[in-house]
Amino acid sequence: MEATISLTVDGTERTLSVDTRTTLLDALRERLGETSPKKGCDHGQCGSCTVLLDGRRHLTCLALAVAYDGAEVVTASGLAGDDLHPVQQAFLDHDGYQCGYCTPGQVCSAVGVVDEAKQGHPSHVTDDLEADPELSDDEIRERMSGNLCRCGAYPGILAAVREVAHS
Ligand code: FES
Ligand code: FES
């Protein structure tokens, strides 16, 4: 069964017809040519397909495109304006990537992490559920734990998120 949906992707409205079984990741990559979100595991276990969906980070390999008709999608490519987004710049400054395959997902996730903490959302390691969470290194590690990097850029990624979180 096919359905027609509209998505705003990095500021541009796109309309497409999709099989209702199509994941948002496949719709973005295979149908719209948006290759910033990567297909790592396709099973919700690596985070490389992460985008911001209506402002919150989501795994697009676990989302059906048809369920997000009308949504606003921001990929890592769409975060930059005339200058790099502060998270992108911090990844560059702290050498937070190596092969770069996981990087678009890491960057989108990091933007989500900083925003979620600002909004007061606790994580599994938050002690005081009443106070706004401080992004300690343990908090950052926990909140970024859904994004795997196979080549060991974790120290740089942690440093990048720490810098943005505390700026
Ligand atoms: Fe989506 Fe791995 S490709 S979590
Ligand atoms: Fe993340 Fe290599 S930089 S997998």
Side-chain angles (χ1 to χ4, degrees):
M1 181 179 170
E2 294 269 323
T4 300
I5 62 170
S6 291
L7 299 168
T8 301
V9 184
D10 295 336
T12 302
E13 187 170 341
R14 315 281 296 271
T15 300
L16 69 162
S17 179
V18 288
D19 185 300
T20 52
R21 297 164 293 184
T22 305
T23 65
L24 184 56
L25 178 60
D26 283 343
L28 289 169
R29 287 184 59 85
E30 309 300 332
R31 300 295 309 286
L32 298 179
E34 300 287 347
T35 55
S36 176
K38 300 292 186 281
K39 185 180 281 192
C41 65
D42 210 19
H43 283 86
Q45 298 188 351
C46 75
S48 66
C49 64
T50 306
V51 302
L52 297 169
L53 196 48
D54 290 331
R56 302 287 302 273
R57 54 188 175 142
H58 275 263
L59 300 176
T60 53
C61 71
L62 294 185
L64 287 175
V66 72
Y68 292 93
D69 182 24
E72 181 173 4
V73 179
V74 177
T75 73
S77 297
L79 285 170
D82 289 339
D83 297 317
L84 290 178
H85 185 281
V87 169
Q88 294 171 319
Q89 187 63 53
F91 269 65
L92 204 56
D93 294 343
H94 292 279
D95 210 12
Y97 53 89
Q98 192 167 321
C99 74
Y101 197 85
C102 69
T103 308
Q106 301 273 9
V107 166
C108 285
S109 207
V111 171
V113 162
V114 173
D115 192 48
E116 287 157 23
K118 274 188 185 147
Q119 291 182 33
H121 297 304
S123 80
H124 181 64
V125 300
T126 306
D127 289 329
D128 185 353
L129 297 181
E130 302 301 322
D132 284 348
E134 286 289 321
L135 282 181
S136 64
D137 285 2
D138 280 350
E139 282 277 4
I140 294 170
R141 288 191 190 96
E142 167 63 22
R143 289 168 190 261
M144 293 293 293
S145 62
N147 290 80
L148 306 183
C149 175
R150 295 127 179 110
C151 43
Y154 291 123
I157 293 168
L158 174 62
V161 181
R162 183 197 296 129
E163 179 184 287
V164 175
H166 296 165
S167 63

